Amino acid sequence: DTGVSQDPRHKITKRGQNVTFRCDPISEHNRLYWYRQTLGQGPEFLTYFQNEAQLEKSRLLSDRFSAERPKGSFSTLEIQRTEQGDSAMYLCASTLSTGTSLGEQFFGPGTRLTVL
Amino acid sequence: ILNVEQSPQSLHVQEGDSTNFTCSFPSSNFYALHWYRWETAKSPEALFVMTLNGDEKKKGRISATLNTKEGYSYLYIKGSQPEDSATYLCAFSGTSYGKLTFGQGTILTVHP
């Protein structure tokens, strides 16, 4: 399977615990995005990487959230001291961008986080 | 704050009906408009990426139009089938690096 994969697919945790999600993009894709979707809403942008550089972070990404993309390959999103409001679907997407071309973003199946 | 609105929020149709949804978005700083189909427990699937005013794109029974001057796009499904049941999302890109602002989606249910 050469699509975008995310792990785990589901995560249930207790308030105050730390969680980490992983995204493996399509191998040649240089841009990687994280989005979050809460019930009844469309996905909201969190952050994006151009290769290994994190170039924009949304105001939604509080200091409890950190994302990395070492070596410009897979990415991790960590949430420290989880709160019930963090419960959501976390989506990862990737694309191959050359110059200003805007190709489609390929999404993974998401990680559904439930904070009890 | 960018506002991307989709209507209707949900739609129930009978197999064989044709249907359409609307996406409205800011008419300034436009780079692209994306349409996605998202079935339960699957990844969102890209349907179209549209960049030019007046664009019309078609994939099988699904087509889309784009009006960047007035800030709207229509998605049409001809002869709906039960397998078309999904959430249809539109997403506006106002940046050169592809950051997407999504609408809240239209949930389509096609009854056999």
Side-chain angles (χ1 to χ4, degrees):
Chain A
D1 185 11
T2 57
V4 179
S5 61
Q6 292 188 245
D7 183 68
R9 295 288 303 273
H10 303 272
K11 179 71 178 178
I12 300 174
T13 191
K14 292 183 179 178
R15 191 176 52 190
Q17 298 294 304
N18 299 342
V19 294
T20 300
F21 312 140
R22 177 179 171 124
C23 169
D24 285 273
I26 294 171
S27 60
E28 66 270 22
H29 284 185
N30 54 354
R31 282 191 183 154
L32 184 149
Y33 308 82
W34 285 98
Y35 296 88
R36 178 174 73 184
Q37 191 214 19
T38 52
L39 201 61
Q41 303 296 316
E44 295 172 295
F45 171 83
L46 292 179
T47 189
Y48 97 99
F49 293 83
Q50 174 85 22
N51 300 311
E52 67 275 9
Q54 187 176 18
L55 297 185
E56 183 173 334
K57 296 197 300 185
S58 163
R59 288 170 298 172
L60 293 174
L61 220 61
S62 75
D63 55 8
R64 295 184 298 105
F65 288 71
S66 61
E68 295 183 339
R69 192 183 182 200
K71 303 178 184 176
S73 56
F74 70 92
S75 176
T76 58
L77 179 68
E78 181 184 13
I79 309 174
Q80 296 183 325
R81 305 181 304 281
T82 52
E83 301 173 355
Q84 288 183 325
D86 297 331
S87 295
M89 173 76 85
Y90 290 83
L91 290 161
C92 173
S94 70
T95 192
L96 176 64
S97 179
T98 56
T100 58
S101 67
L102 293 174
E104 62 185 85
Q105 295 184 18
F106 293 82
F107 280 80
T111 293
R112 180 166 295 285
L113 173 67
T114 303
V115 182
L116 302 175
Chain B
I1 296 177
L2 293 176
N3 221 23
V4 179
E5 299 285 344
Q6 290 187 248
S7 63
Q9 285 193 325
S10 65
L11 196 54
H12 290 256
V13 301
Q14 291 297 127
E15 183 175 354
D17 287 350
S18 294
T19 187
N20 65 84
F21 324 132
T22 304
C23 173
S24 63
F25 53 86
S27 54
S28 57
N29 298 322
F30 176 88
Y31 275 81
L33 193 283
H34 298 236
W35 281 100
Y36 286 87
R37 174 170 60 201
W38 195 1
E39 296 179 64
T40 303
K42 294 187 178 179
S43 306
E45 173 198 356
L47 292 174
F48 305 112
V49 180
M50 307 174 79
T51 57
L52 297 175
N53 184 44
D55 248 357
E56 291 188 25
K57 295 210 172 180
K58 188 175 180 182
K59 184 186 286 190
R61 294 179 292 100
I62 304 177
S63 60
T65 61
L66 178 68
N67 183 324
T68 61
K69 292 185 179 179
E70 296 182 38
Y72 64 83
S73 175
Y74 295 134
L75 187 79
Y76 302 91
I77 303 179
K78 185 177 176 182
S80 303
Q81 300 296 308
E83 57 265 31
D84 296 329
S85 298
T87 298
Y88 289 81
L89 292 162
C90 72
F92 166 85
S93 178
T95 68
S96 61
Y97 55 84
K99 170 183 170 181
L100 297 180
T101 301
F102 283 86
Q104 74 275 34
T106 293
I107 302 170
L108 173 67
T109 305
V110 182
H111 300 278

